[in-house]
C-alpha cells in the first residue's frame, strides 16, 4: 500500500513538472515568436495560444461571462500572466482583402450546407475563434494614401484596388475606366450610361419634384440602393443632401463595395438572401434597383417584402429594368406577376416611363385592412418585431404600421436638415424625453469639438472622409460632425437598445453589429474609428479584446485614426499593444471635469502607421 501511494505521488510530481515546463515553453514561444516564426503565419496568434493556458475565459466558451466577472484582462499586469505580444504575425499577401465573415474559402472548408439559389453563400458565416487568422492584413505592395474627397468620387489609385475586370466587363456602361495609375468613374451605370446625375434628375422629374431635385425639399434624405455596382448612384446623390446606403454582395463582381468605400461613398457588403438586412423598419424614404439582377418574385415575393419593411410610409421604390418596358414575352410575364404582387401589397404606381417605374407605399394601414380575407401576402404576426434584424430570417409578410404612424398618417419626421436635431417620434419607444435627447446632443457636440481640437495638429480639412462610430447610441456623435466633409457609419450593438431606428429617423445611416465578430467590409475602408466603451462592453460578453484590436486594424486605412473613449484601465491595456499593431499614440487626455456623466473618462487618440510586410519582419527581428 505504501509503495502504491509513493508511485502515485511520484506520478503527480512528474505531471506537475511537465505542465510547468509546457507552460514555460509556450510563454517563451509567445514572447520570442517573431525571432523564429514566419511573418506569414496565419492561424495561431498570441491570443489563440494564450486561450489554451490562461483562465480569462475570453475565447467565447460557456463559462466566459462568469470568468470575465472574476478577472478582468484589462486590470492584469504582465507579471500577473497577461501575455502581451511583441508583434503579430502578418497575413499572407493573398489575404490583403480578407473579409473574415464573408470568406468563400472558409465557407467551403466549413462544408456548410447552403442553398446557393437563396444566396446563402453570400451571407455572413463567421469563423470559430480558433479558426480566425489573427494576423495583420498587409496593404497591397504599391499602396498609396487614398485620394481625398471630393476628388475621390471620380478617381482612385489603381494600386489600392488592383482589379480592372469590372472596367472590362462593364466597358459599354461607363462604370469605370482605367487611365494610367488611376481608375476613373465617369458616373455611369447599367441603366444610366450617360451619367448618374442625369438619371437622378430624370427620377425627380418623373415625380414632379421641385427643380428636378430628388431630395424633394428635404423630404427624401435616406435612400437604399440595392445591387449598387460601384455606387455612382449614391455618390451623385450626396450633392443633393441625400445619403444612400449602397448595398452589394461579395459576388462575381467582388470589388464593387471596395471601390465605393475607396471613393468615399457610404456602402455595405450584404445580400438579399434569407435573413433580414441589418437595418430597422421604416429606415428609408426611397429604395432603388437598377437592373440589380434580383428575382423579386421568388418565395412569394419575400425579397420585395423585405424592401417594404425598410420603406417609410409613403416611401418610393424606383425600379429600372427591361420588365418595366415588357418588350418580350418573358419580360411581360414578369411585369404582370410583379404588378399583381405589389398591388396586393397596396403599392401604387407613382410614375412610369420607358424602362423605369416608381411605386409608392401607402401612408397608413387602411389599404391592408380593406383587402379580401386570405389575400397573399399576409400581414406579419402581431408578435413579430420588425426591428429585430440580427440573424433574424425574413418572412413573406407585410409589416403593418404602428398606431402612432396610423394616427400621424406618416412617419412624422421633419424635413432635412431640421430632422437631424428634431426629436423623432420613435424616441418614445425608449422612454427618452426631448430634454434628454437635447442633452445628449449637447454632450456629444462638446466631445466632438474636443476630438477635433486634439486631432487638428495632425490633420487637414480633407484628411478624414469615412468614419465609423462603433457604438452610436442615438447618433449624436455623427450629428456633431454635420459641418465636416465626412460621413459616418453608425453601428449599434446587436445586444443593446435598438437605437438604430432613431439614427435613421435623424437622417443618418448605420448598421447593427456584434463586435465579437468581424464587420462586413473590406480591409482599409475607414479613416477614423470611434470606440466609446466598446472594449468594456465586449469584456462583459467574454470576447477577446485582442481580436477586436486586430479587427479595428483590418478596417482602418494606413495613417488612419482611432479615438478610444473608455476606462483608464482599457487605455492602458491598448497602449501595451501599440508596437505590435504598428500604431502610434497621439494623445491621452482625461475628460473635462463637470462635463462628463459616464465612467468613460479617458480619451486615447491613436494613429495607424503606414507599413509594409517586409518592414514589419525587419522591425520584429
Amino acid at each position: 500500500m505504501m509503495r502504491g501511494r509513493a508511485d502515485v505521488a511520484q506520478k503527480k510530481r512528474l505531471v506537475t513538472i511537465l505542465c510547468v515546463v509546457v507552460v514555460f515553453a509556450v510563454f517563451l514561444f509567445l514572447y520570442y515568436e517573431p525571432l523564429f516564426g514566419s511573418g506569414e503565419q496565419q492561424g495561431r496568434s498570441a491570443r489563440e495560444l494564450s486561450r489554451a493556458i490562461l483562465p480569462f475565459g475570453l475565447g467565447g466558451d460557456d463559462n466566459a461571462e462568469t470568468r470575465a466577472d472574476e478577472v478582468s484582462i484589462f486590470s492584469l499586469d504582465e507579471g500577473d500572466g497577461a501575455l502581451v505580444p511583441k508583434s503579430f504575425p502578418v497575413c499572407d499577401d493573398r489575404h490583403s482583402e480578407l473579409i473574415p465573415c464573408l470568406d468563400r474559402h472558409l465557407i467551403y472548408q466549413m462544408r456548410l450546407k447552403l442553398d446557393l439559389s437563396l444566396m446563402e453563400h453570400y451571407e455572413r458565416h463567421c469563423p470559430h475563434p480558433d479558426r480566425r487568422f489573427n494576423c495583420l492584413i498587409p496593404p497591397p505592395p504599391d499602396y498609396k494614401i487614398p485620394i481625398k474627397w471630393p476628388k475621390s468620387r471620380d478617381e482612385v489609385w489603381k494600386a489600392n484596388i488592383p482589379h480592372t475586370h469590372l472596367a472590362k466587363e462593364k466597358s459599354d456602361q461607363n462604370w469605370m475606366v482605367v487611365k494610367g495609375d488611376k481608375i476613373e468613374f465617369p458616373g455611369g451605370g447599367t441603366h444610366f450610361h450617360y451619367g448618374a446625375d442625369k438619371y437622378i434628375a430624370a427620377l425627380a422629374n418623373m415625380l414632379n419634384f421641385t427643380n428636378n431635385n430628388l431630395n424633394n425639399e428635404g423630404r427624401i434624405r435616406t435612400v437604399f440602393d440595392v445591387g449598387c455596382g460601384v455606387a455612382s448612384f449614391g455618390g451623385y446623390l450626396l450633392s443633393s443632401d441625400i445619403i444612400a446606403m449602397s448595398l452589394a454582395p461579395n459576388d462575381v463582381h467582388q470589388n464593387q463595395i471596395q471601390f465605393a468605400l475607396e471613393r468615399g461613398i457610404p456602402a455595405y457588403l450584404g445580400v438579399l438572401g434569407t435573413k433580414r438586412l441589418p437595418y430597422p423598419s421604416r429606415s428609408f424614404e426611397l429604395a432603388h434597383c437598377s437592373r440589380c439582377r434580383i428575382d423579386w418574385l421568388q418565395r412569394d415575393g419575400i425579397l420585395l417584402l423585405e424592401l417594404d419593411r425598410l420603406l417609410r410610409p409613403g416611401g418610393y421604390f424606383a425600379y429600372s429594368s427591361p420588365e418595366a418596358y415588357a418588350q418580350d414575352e418573358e419580360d411581360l410575364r414578369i411585369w404582370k406577376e410583379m404588378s399583381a404582387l405589389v398591388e396586393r401589397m397596396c403599392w401604387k404606381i407613382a410614375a412610369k416611363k420607358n424602362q423605369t417605374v416608381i411605386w409608392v407605399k401607402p401612408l397608413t394601414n387602411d389599404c391592408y385592412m380593406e383587402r379580401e380575407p386570405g389575400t397573399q401576402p399576409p400581414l406579419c404576426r402581431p408578435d413579430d418585431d420588425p426591428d429585430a434584424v440580427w440573424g433574424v430570417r425574413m418572412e413573406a409578410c407585410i409589416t403593418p404600421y404602428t398606431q402612432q404612424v396610423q394616427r400621424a398618417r406618416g412617419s412624422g419626421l421633419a424635413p432635412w436638415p431640421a430632422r437631424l436635431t428634431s426629436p423623432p417620434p420613435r424616441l418614445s419607444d425608449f422612454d427618452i424625453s426631448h430634454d434628454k435627447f437635447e442633452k445628449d446632443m449637447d454632450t456629444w457636440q462638446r466631445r466632438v469639438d474636443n476630438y477635433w481640437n486634439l486631432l487638428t495638429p495632425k490633420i487637414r480639412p480633407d484628411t478624414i472622409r469615412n468614419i465609423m462610430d462603433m457604438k452610436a447610441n442615438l447618433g449624436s456623435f455623427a450629428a456633431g460632425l454635420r459641418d465636416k466633409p465626412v460621413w459616418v457609419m453608425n453601428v449599434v450593438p446587436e445586444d443593446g437598445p435598438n437605437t438604430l431606428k432613431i439614427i435613421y429617423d435623424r437622417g443618418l445611416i448605420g448598421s447593427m453589429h456584434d463586435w465579437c465578430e468581424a464587420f462586413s467590409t473590406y480591409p482599409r475602408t475607414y479613416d477614423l474609428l470611434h470606440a466609446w466603451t466598446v472594449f468594456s462592453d465586449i469584456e462583459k460578453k467574454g470576447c477577446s479584446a485582442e481580436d477586436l484590436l486586430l479587427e479595428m486594424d483590418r478596417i482602418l486605412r494606413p495613417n488612419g485614426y482611432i479615438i478610444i473613449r473608455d476606462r483608464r484601465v482599457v487605455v492602458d491595456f491598448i497602449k501595451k499593444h501599440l508596437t505590435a499593431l504598428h500604431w502610434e499614440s497621439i494623445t491621452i487626455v482625461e475628460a473635462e471635469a463637470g462635463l462628463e456623466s459616464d465612467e468613460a473618462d479617458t480619451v486615447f487618440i491613436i494613429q495607424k502607421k503606414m507599413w509594409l510586410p517586409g518592414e514589419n519582419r525587419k522591425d520584429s527581428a
Side-chain angles (χ1 to χ4, degrees):
M1 291 292 291
M2 293 298 294
R3 182 179 180 85
R5 289 178 181 174
D7 289 342
V8 170
Q10 186 175 8
K11 289 180 180 179
K12 287 183 177 180
R13 284 195 295 273
L14 287 173
V15 169
T16 302
I17 293 171
L18 181 60
C19 289
V20 170
V21 170
V22 169
V23 170
F24 185 71
V26 171
F27 175 82
L28 288 177
F29 176 80
L30 292 172
Y31 193 84
Y32 293 105
E33 181 267 346
L35 296 178
F36 51 80
S38 167
E40 295 178 355
Q41 291 184 62
Q42 297 174 13
R44 305 286 290 175
S45 72
R47 166 51 53 201
E48 287 186 284
L49 289 172
S50 65
R51 286 182 185 129
I53 61 172
L54 296 179
F56 297 160
L58 293 178
D61 62 86
D62 294 338
N63 297 319
E65 187 172 350
T66 301
R67 292 173 179 174
D69 290 340
E70 294 173 356
V71 181
S72 167
I73 186 173
F74 301 128
S75 63
L76 288 172
D77 296 326
E78 291 186 49
D80 296 323
L83 303 180
V84 180
K86 297 298 182 183
S87 70
F88 285 107
V90 179
C91 294
D92 188 279
D93 290 345
R94 293 170 297 176
H95 298 97
S96 67
E97 294 169 359
L98 176 68
I99 312 164
C101 295
L102 298 172
D103 182 3
R104 287 191 297 278
H105 299 293
L106 174 69
I107 292 172
Y108 175 79
Q109 294 169 9
M110 292 169 69
R111 300 184 183 277
L112 300 175
K113 295 181 179 179
L114 304 176
D115 191 329
L116 304 188
S117 67
L118 303 184
M119 309 292 280
E120 285 186 299
H121 55 306
Y122 294 136
E123 294 181 325
R124 288 174 58 85
H125 302 282
C126 296
H128 187 273
D130 291 335
R131 298 195 66 176
R132 292 175 181 170
F133 284 85
N134 287 320
C135 48
L136 297 175
I137 305 288
D142 299 317
Y143 181 85
K144 299 180 180 181
I145 297 302
I147 294 170
K148 304 304 182 184
W149 182 266
K151 194 176 180 180
S152 64
R153 188 195 71 173
D154 302 322
E155 61 181 25
V156 301
W157 296 116
K158 183 172 66 175
N160 291 7
I161 310 178
H163 302 284
T164 58
H165 59 281
L166 278 175
K168 298 174 184 176
E169 183 179 341
K170 304 292 183 181
S171 59
D172 61 332
Q173 299 171 10
N174 278 332
W175 279 31
M176 47 192 277
V177 179
V178 179
K179 287 191 177 181
D181 59 356
K182 294 179 181 177
I183 296 175
E184 297 184 356
F185 301 87
T190 305
H191 191 74
F192 39 93
H193 305 175
Y194 301 107
D197 51 348
K198 296 180 178 61
Y199 173 72
I200 291 167
L203 294 179
N205 180 264
M206 289 174 63
L207 293 168
N208 295 317
F209 289 168
T210 304
N211 298 324
N212 291 340
N213 192 331
L214 196 60
N215 77 5
N216 192 24
E217 300 178 340
R219 295 180 182 87
I220 291 184
R221 164 63 181 174
T222 51
V223 168
F224 178 58
D225 187 19
V226 57
C228 64
V230 293
S232 289
F233 180 74
Y236 278 81
L237 284 173
L238 290 166
S239 60
S240 298
D241 274 341
I242 297 174
I243 189 165
M245 177 64 79
S246 297
L247 182 96
N250 184 27
D251 60 6
V252 292
H253 300 148
Q254 295 177 28
N255 305 96
Q256 300 170 94
I257 296 302
Q258 191 177 19
F259 278 118
L261 291 165
E262 182 73 12
R263 297 171 70 185
I265 300 171
Y268 183 84
L269 271 166
V271 66
L272 282 166
T274 65
K275 297 178 181 177
R276 286 177 173 175
L277 295 171
Y279 320 123
S281 66
R282 312 198 309 271
S283 292
F284 302 99
E285 276 90 34
L286 183 144
H288 173 254
C289 159
S290 174
R291 298 197 186 186
C292 53
R293 303 196 308 174
I294 292 175
D295 178 7
W296 295 108
L297 297 174
Q298 64 173 283
R299 293 176 283 159
D300 301 316
I302 194 169
L303 304 185
L304 204 59
L305 289 160
E306 173 66 357
L307 281 192
D308 183 81
R309 182 183 71 84
L310 296 177
L311 281 175
R312 298 196 194 279
Y316 298 98
F317 177 41
Y319 180 59
S320 295
S321 178
E323 291 86 25
Y325 190 57
Q327 285 182 301
D328 59 35
E329 187 174 331
E330 179 62 13
D331 288 341
L332 182 61
R333 180 193 67 80
I334 295 173
W335 172 250
K336 286 183 176 179
E337 291 187 21
M338 195 164 175
S339 297
L341 172 61
V342 298
E343 184 177 355
R344 296 194 301 272
M345 292 167 56
C346 293
W347 289 10
K348 304 293 183 184
I349 291 180
K352 185 174 183 293
K353 185 177 181 181
N354 298 330
Q355 293 186 25
T356 299
V357 60
I358 304 176
W359 284 289
V360 61
K361 184 180 174 181
L363 286 168
T364 68
N365 291 325
D366 295 349
C367 176
Y368 305 144
M369 300 298 105
E370 294 168 359
R371 298 188 310 163
E372 292 292 329
T375 298
Q376 298 295 318
L379 296 182
C380 296
R381 302 182 312 274
D383 61 350
D384 178 40
D385 180 2
D387 300 322
V389 296
W390 191 250
V392 176
R393 295 184 70 85
M394 296 180 191
E395 291 192 28
C397 59
I398 298 171
T399 303
Y401 298 129
T402 63
Q403 289 301 314
Q404 182 186 63
V405 173
Q406 180 73 11
R407 288 192 300 268
R409 301 187 65 81
S411 60
L413 299 176
W416 180 265
R419 179 181 304 184
L420 182 66
T421 54
S422 300
R426 288 198 274 190
L427 276 179
S428 60
D429 294 357
F430 305 93
D431 293 325
I432 297 175
S433 66
H434 290 190
D435 287 344
K436 188 173 181 180
F437 175 78
E438 291 171 0
K439 183 178 179 181
D440 183 74
M441 278 196 300
D442 291 342
T443 296
W444 279 106
Q445 186 63 65
R446 288 195 298 268
R447 292 176 176 178
V448 167
D449 291 342
N450 185 42
Y451 292 158
W452 234 250
N453 288 335
L454 295 171
L455 283 167
T456 295
K458 300 286 292 186
I459 65 172
R460 293 182 296 180
D462 63 354
T463 299
I464 294 172
R465 172 63 183 172
N466 302 350
I467 296 179
M468 177 184 287
D469 189 2
M470 298 173 67
K471 183 183 174 184
N473 195 28
L474 302 180
S476 293
F477 168 81
L481 292 164
R482 57 187 173 274
D483 296 327
K484 309 292 183 187
V486 303
W487 68 272
V488 180
M489 177 68 77
N490 294 279
V491 180
V492 171
E494 50 81 30
D495 60 342
N498 191 353
T499 54
L500 195 56
K501 53 189 173 183
I502 302 299
I503 289 166
Y504 273 93
D505 284 355
R506 299 182 71 176
L508 304 169
I509 62 169
S511 176
M512 187 166 284
H513 186 62
D514 179 358
W515 282 115
C516 294
E517 301 176 357
F519 194 78
S520 292
T521 192
Y522 283 87
R524 303 174 300 280
T525 47
Y526 286 89
D527 298 300
L528 187 148
L529 306 178
H530 177 242
W532 170 51
T533 69
V534 175
F535 283 88
S536 290
D537 290 344
I538 67 154
E539 180 192 20
K540 297 172 186 175
K541 297 174 66 173
C543 301
S544 166
E546 285 187 2
D547 283 352
L548 179 57
L549 288 171
L550 287 165
E551 172 61 6
M552 293 169 71
D553 183 81
R554 184 185 73 87
I555 65 180
L556 187 66
R557 287 171 167 173
N559 283 1
Y561 296 88
I562 299 173
I563 300 175
I564 304 289
R565 189 181 198 93
D566 216 313
R567 295 172 293 149
R568 182 69 195 214
V569 68
V570 173
V571 170
D572 290 340
F573 171 84
I574 295 172
K575 281 172 59 180
K576 296 175 183 178
H577 292 77
L578 294 183
T579 300
L581 291 162
H582 302 275
W583 293 359
E584 181 180 15
S585 172
I586 300 301
T587 188
I588 300 176
V589 297
E590 304 302 321
E592 296 179 44
L595 294 180
E596 312 303 329
S597 59
D598 55 47
E599 296 180 0
D601 55 1
T602 303
V603 174
F604 186 20
I605 298 183
I606 302 162
Q607 185 176 22
K608 176 180 176 178
K609 299 178 184 178
M610 172 74 85
W611 62 271
L612 295 173
E615 295 172 345
N616 178 70
R617 287 192 290 270
K618 181 179 179 181
D619 293 343
S620 301

